[in-house]
Amino acid sequence: MSALATIGARLAGDAGGRRVVRPERRRRRRVQAVWGLLVLNVLTFFPGSPHLLPIPGMVGKLIAQASLPAALLLALTVNRPARIRPSVWIFLLGLLASESLVASIGAEFLFGALYRAVRLILFVAVLWLLTPWWTRRDLLLLRTHLMFLWIVLGSVLVGLLVAPGVALTDDRLGGILWPIPPTQVGHYAAVATGLTTMLWLSGLLRRNLALISVLLAVPVLLLTHTRTALVALLAGVVVGGLSLFMSRARVRKSFAIGLAFFTVGALTVGSVVTTWLARGQDTEDLAALTGRRMVWESILAAPRSTWETLFGFGLSNKSFNGLPIDSNWLGTYYDIGLVGIAINVTMLLFLLTAAWFQPQGPRRALALFLVAYCVVASFTESGLSDASPYLLELTLAACLVYSGTSREGVR
């Protein structure tokens, strides 16, 4: 929304001004709806997870999968005539999608692999259509993402209040209104906590609102017992906060208080933290990374041709012999080979380099948090080679470091 048009309409009460403001407001809401549909698309429906609402598995999957073509159609209506911006990030995503399609043509399960590859192509197309809104000063896409994260977390909290025994199956909190496994709930809670913290450290969010948000999100994260999300959150906040350390007294004070709490906590409740991190597992389970190491070793030992080494076996559901791979790097290697890993590495290096050369400020700090979080999480979570929450969040980082300007971009 143009600031001058808004001020003029408010001061003069000009009907023409109001006609200018209202279409822009509707356009902004449609952009938010497009992003919400992308979030719904990656909010995979897990019919095997405990859930309260009697949603058939086929219907739940259809809702999630149909949201992507709906997002594409809505994006075409809001970006009309279609205007797109050149972007290194979108080019890299397009390269990843093209390589996934090539790898999937020879997949054993051809239909499933091609479906995932086409889905990734459509996903990238929608993100490309949203590029005119990347550089808005109000951080529209980032705040929209945070809003939808809170909608998801709100549904998890409602489920916990309605049926705590079901929500805390195996003592790990999951979503039961929409079936969401604890690891994904932990991811959403960690990202919401990190973004809220970075916005407050940057002076873009009121203290009371930030405090309430963190006090709600952190217990959700702890109840999921998701170690990866917790470690990635801490790493992301440290990296993002350090980028503001010299320019913000609030950051220096917060880091000092955090270090003091960490020291006191390590001395007083260290055993409680150790028990939480162990999650009831013995030393052997921890050394095997909860069974992940066996799967990873099997992937590396599997015979493959030169083509399969370079381009993989085609996009899969990120499992091997029926067991989850739980590593972006091994999952990418299995699906799209060494070429896919090279593209993933280039994507992350591009974002880190672009953030490094950004002026010190909120956009740089937020981008560094998102990239650091995704890098740490990528070792025991997958998602950088498929349509996923991780690609959405890295796209937000790309928005924050994008240097292009346009009339819409400065609103």
Side-chain angles (χ1 to χ4, degrees):
M1 181 188 303
S2 170
L4 293 177
T6 304
I7 294 173
R10 288 179 177 176
L11 292 179
D14 179 27
R18 286 194 294 272
R19 284 196 296 270
V20 172
V21 170
R22 286 172 182 170
E24 173 56 29
R25 184 180 294 121
R26 288 195 295 269
R27 187 179 299 112
R28 183 181 61 190
R29 288 175 178 170
R30 280 186 288 168
V31 169
Q32 292 179 304
V34 171
W35 194 268
L37 288 170
L38 290 178
V39 173
L40 178 59
N41 180 245
V42 299
L43 193 66
T44 309
F45 188 89
F46 289 90
S49 299
H51 56 283
L52 289 182
L53 299 180
I55 304 175
M58 187 62 68
V59 174
K61 291 180 178 180
L62 181 62
I63 292 172
Q65 294 169 7
S67 62
L68 181 56
L72 179 60
L73 292 176
L74 187 56
L76 288 171
T77 65
V78 71
N79 189 352
R80 188 181 56 186
R83 291 172 295 171
I84 53 179
R85 293 182 173 186
S87 164
V88 175
W89 174 253
I90 293 295
F91 169 76
L92 291 172
L93 285 183
L95 192 62
L96 180 71
S98 301
E99 203 272 341
S100 300
L101 181 61
V102 171
S104 298
I105 290 174
E108 179 182 359
F109 302 100
L110 181 62
F111 178 79
L114 287 178
Y115 174 79
R116 295 182 182 93
V118 171
R119 177 187 176 219
L120 180 57
I121 292 172
L122 295 179
F123 194 80
V124 174
V126 176
L127 294 177
W128 201 1
L129 288 170
L130 293 179
T131 51
W133 290 270
W134 275 22
T135 56
R136 289 180 61 112
R137 290 177 180 171
D138 60 0
L139 305 178
L140 175 64
L141 293 181
L142 184 136
R143 292 181 182 273
T144 299
H145 188 71
L146 186 56
M147 177 182 71
F148 282 108
L149 287 181
W150 275 109
I151 291 175
V152 173
L153 293 177
S155 72
V156 173
L157 289 172
V158 169
L160 177 62
L161 292 175
V162 172
V166 180
L168 289 170
T169 302
D170 297 327
D171 292 326
R172 300 187 68 184
L173 177 61
I176 57 174
L177 298 185
W178 182 274
I180 312 173
T183 50
Q184 280 201 9
V185 174
H187 170 81
Y188 298 134
V191 174
T193 301
L195 290 179
T196 300
T197 302
M198 297 313 302
L199 287 170
W200 177 74
L201 290 175
S202 302
L204 299 180
L205 193 65
R206 295 192 304 273
R207 181 181 62 184
N208 291 341
L209 182 58
L211 183 62
I212 293 172
S213 300
V214 170
L215 289 178
L216 287 174
V218 170
V220 171
L221 172 58
L222 295 178
L223 286 173
T224 64
H225 285 269
T226 307
R227 295 171 293 209
T228 298
L230 179 61
V231 174
L233 167 63
L234 295 176
V237 170
V238 169
V239 172
L242 286 175
S243 71
L244 296 169
F245 193 81
M246 299 305 297
S247 61
R248 300 267 179 178
R250 173 182 294 182
V251 176
R252 295 191 293 272
K253 182 179 179 181
S254 299
F255 269 51
I257 296 173
L259 182 60
F261 270 101
F262 178 81
T263 303
V264 173
L267 295 174
T268 57
V269 294
S271 60
V272 176
V273 174
T274 302
T275 302
W276 185 91
L277 291 173
R279 218 163 60 193
Q281 297 171 335
D282 56 26
T283 305
E284 184 178 349
D285 289 332
L286 293 174
L289 297 174
T290 322
R292 292 187 179 100
R293 197 173 70 178
M294 179 185 65
V295 178
W296 297 349
E297 290 172 350
S298 299
I299 291 174
L300 294 174
R304 50 175 51 85
S305 64
T306 302
W307 172 271
E308 291 164 345
T309 300
L310 291 175
F311 296 99
F313 295 93
L315 289 184
S316 67
N317 61 355
K318 299 300 180 291
S319 66
F320 183 77
N321 292 334
L323 297 174
I325 297 176
D326 283 344
S327 169
N328 175 72
W329 304 107
L330 273 298
T332 299
Y333 175 59
Y334 180 73
D335 282 1
I336 51 179
L338 293 176
V339 174
I341 289 180
I343 296 173
N344 272 183
V345 171
T346 305
M347 289 161 55
L348 295 172
L349 287 178
F350 164 72
L351 290 177
L352 287 172
T353 304
W356 178 265
F357 287 103
Q358 279 288 305
Q360 194 175 59
R363 299 180 75 91
R364 181 189 186 194
L366 288 162
L368 286 173
F369 163 76
L370 289 168
V371 177
Y373 180 94
C374 291
V375 168
V376 173
S378 68
F379 290 99
T380 56
E381 295 287 342
S382 57
L384 301 189
S385 60
D386 207 345
S388 68
Y390 291 98
L391 277 192
L392 276 182
E393 285 144 14
L394 287 177
T395 300
L396 289 177
C399 300
L400 293 165
V401 300
Y402 187 76
S403 58
T405 58
S406 74
R407 291 179 60 189
E408 293 182 45
V410 298
R411 290 174 185 166

